[in-house]
Amino acid sequence: MAAVEAETVPLTLESLPTDPLLLILSFVDYRDLISCCYVSRRLSQLSTHDPLWRRHCKKYWLISEEEKSRKNRCWKSLFIDTYLDVGRYIDHYAAIKKAWDDLKKYLEPRCPRMVLSLKEGAREEDLDAVEAQIGCKLPDDYRCSYRIHNGQKLVVPGLLGSMALSNHYRSEDLLDVDTAAGGFQQRQGLKYCLPLTFCIHTGLSQYIAVEAAEGRNKNEVFYQCPDQMARNPAAIDMFIIGATFTDWFTSYVNNVVSGGFPIIRDQIFRYIHDPECVATTGDITVSVSTSFLPELSSVHPPHYFFTYRIRIEMSRDALPEKACQLDSRYWRITNAKGDVEEVQGPGVVGEFPIISPGRIYEYTSCTTFSTTSGYMEGYYTFHYLYFKDKVFNVAIPRFHMACPTFRVSIARLVS
């Protein structure tokens, strides 16, 4: 019997079943999904399958199911419409939008006035006009953020945080793009730098370098720090606080929404708390948070200013007779060279607080170092209210302070 050869059917794209093809397409990027439209009629039809665009809408534009239902649109049309509006920012949009959404959600019940101070997003033509005005291109992540919110009204408190000491107050507003453009710098020392924030009390701003110049990297965010020992007024050192706008903005938001920066009297205070910086003595717990103040610091001469906030709390479960009053403090202060200074004195910031079960006492103070870092530790001496002759010490945990990375002015390096 002669062998009968099976008829071979050529395998083509048109003959493949739909479900496996859709599964494959569900893994491709939006660019490749669009390219499929030009490969064949079959792929063009499959690429319009609306569930394929759901993942891209969520990944790139953070569009929720609720928003889709509210707009009564298909996923593909939502993706395309959003792309036509902010497509140039597709590499930045999700990170920036998430940061804004998280920040507003966190602040609305805590600092509602601050959220109300935010402006509507700028238009593309507004941002283009600013670029024409300053003669430089704005970073795309900066533009992306300002498409969402064009800064805030100049109010107190500012969105970018506050700091308060007995004779010093700072609160930084996020500038709208037109106000920022008015402060664009072309003078030596700050050439091609655009202010991001402004404090009406100190005149302090955080800047972004829109071009690489004078030793700065493009897109770097920094606090300016005049070199007080240089004769050249263009000698400006820099405390670096972000490699890019995204880095700067998202790290700040993460500190806020994680509770790293406390909310005090409807303001964001930029104290950083180390969870390990806590000491408990009996029923009393002492914790410390710290902050670097660039506006009161300098690199030349070396003078680094820090403030710290101390929280003293007695356990709610403590017996009433454990109520006590703080009499004195002792500090051991060590700089980066190992030099030690000891300080002892009555009370804290001129007060002698009484601590009782469940009560919390907080205060702020400050210190300076001639080195870029240092640490403090010590103890408080208390006496019991019911046994006034009985005194005891309460440990203050060691807490470290370090200034941000800084860069010395190029004017000093070349002189």
Side-chain angles (χ1 to χ4, degrees), residues 5 8 49 90 102 137 161 174 207 255 288 316 340 354 380:
E5 294 186 1
T8 302
H49 187 60
I90 195 164
D102 290 348
K137 292 291 184 182
L174 180 64
Y207 286 90
N255 271 317
V288 187
R316 292 182 180 275
V340 176
I354 292 174
Y380 300 117

Side-chain angles (χ1 to χ4, degrees), residues 142-201:
Y142 174 95
R143 287 183 61 120
C144 178
S145 181
Y146 278 71
R147 285 298 314 275
I148 298 169
H149 281 295
N150 185 16
Q152 67 175 141
K153 303 168 188 174
L154 291 180
V155 296
V156 175
L159 183 72
L160 268 295
S162 301
M163 188 56 61
L165 295 172
S166 58
N167 58 352
H168 180 80
Y169 180 72
R170 180 184 89 223
S171 186
E172 294 182 67
D173 289 297
L174 180 64
L175 294 176
D176 65 64
V177 69
D178 289 325
T179 305
F184 180 70
Q185 299 293 316
Q186 300 209 45
R187 64 185 174 94
Q188 293 297 317
L190 284 174
K191 199 166 187 179
Y192 304 130
C193 293
L194 188 77
L196 294 174
T197 70
F198 181 70
C199 170
I200 61 174
H201 300 88

Side-chain angles (χ1 to χ4, degrees), residues 30 146 196 267 273 349:
Y30 77 94
Y146 278 71
L196 294 174
Q267 300 183 69
H273 174 63
V349 294

Side-chain angles (χ1 to χ4, degrees), residues 340-362:
V340 176
E341 178 185 4
E342 295 182 281
V343 177
Q344 197 159 10
V348 288
V349 294
E351 298 182 353
F352 299 86
I354 292 174
I355 306 295
S356 56
R359 186 183 173 192
I360 297 170
Y361 176 78
E362 294 180 301

Side-chain angles (χ1 to χ4, degrees), residues 395-410:
I396 305 171
R398 177 181 293 188
F399 55 97
H400 294 262
M401 292 158 281
C403 80
T405 299
F406 64 80
R407 189 170 302 127
V408 175
S409 168
I410 194 170

Side-chain angles (χ1 to χ4, degrees), residues 274 276-279 286 288 290 331-332 334 374-378 395-401:
D274 180 353
E276 296 184 359
C277 192
V278 177
V286 178
V288 187
T290 64
W331 288 112
R332 182 179 173 86
T334 307
Y375 62 87
M376 296 174 61
E377 57 195 328
I396 305 171
R398 177 181 293 188
F399 55 97
H400 294 262
M401 292 158 281

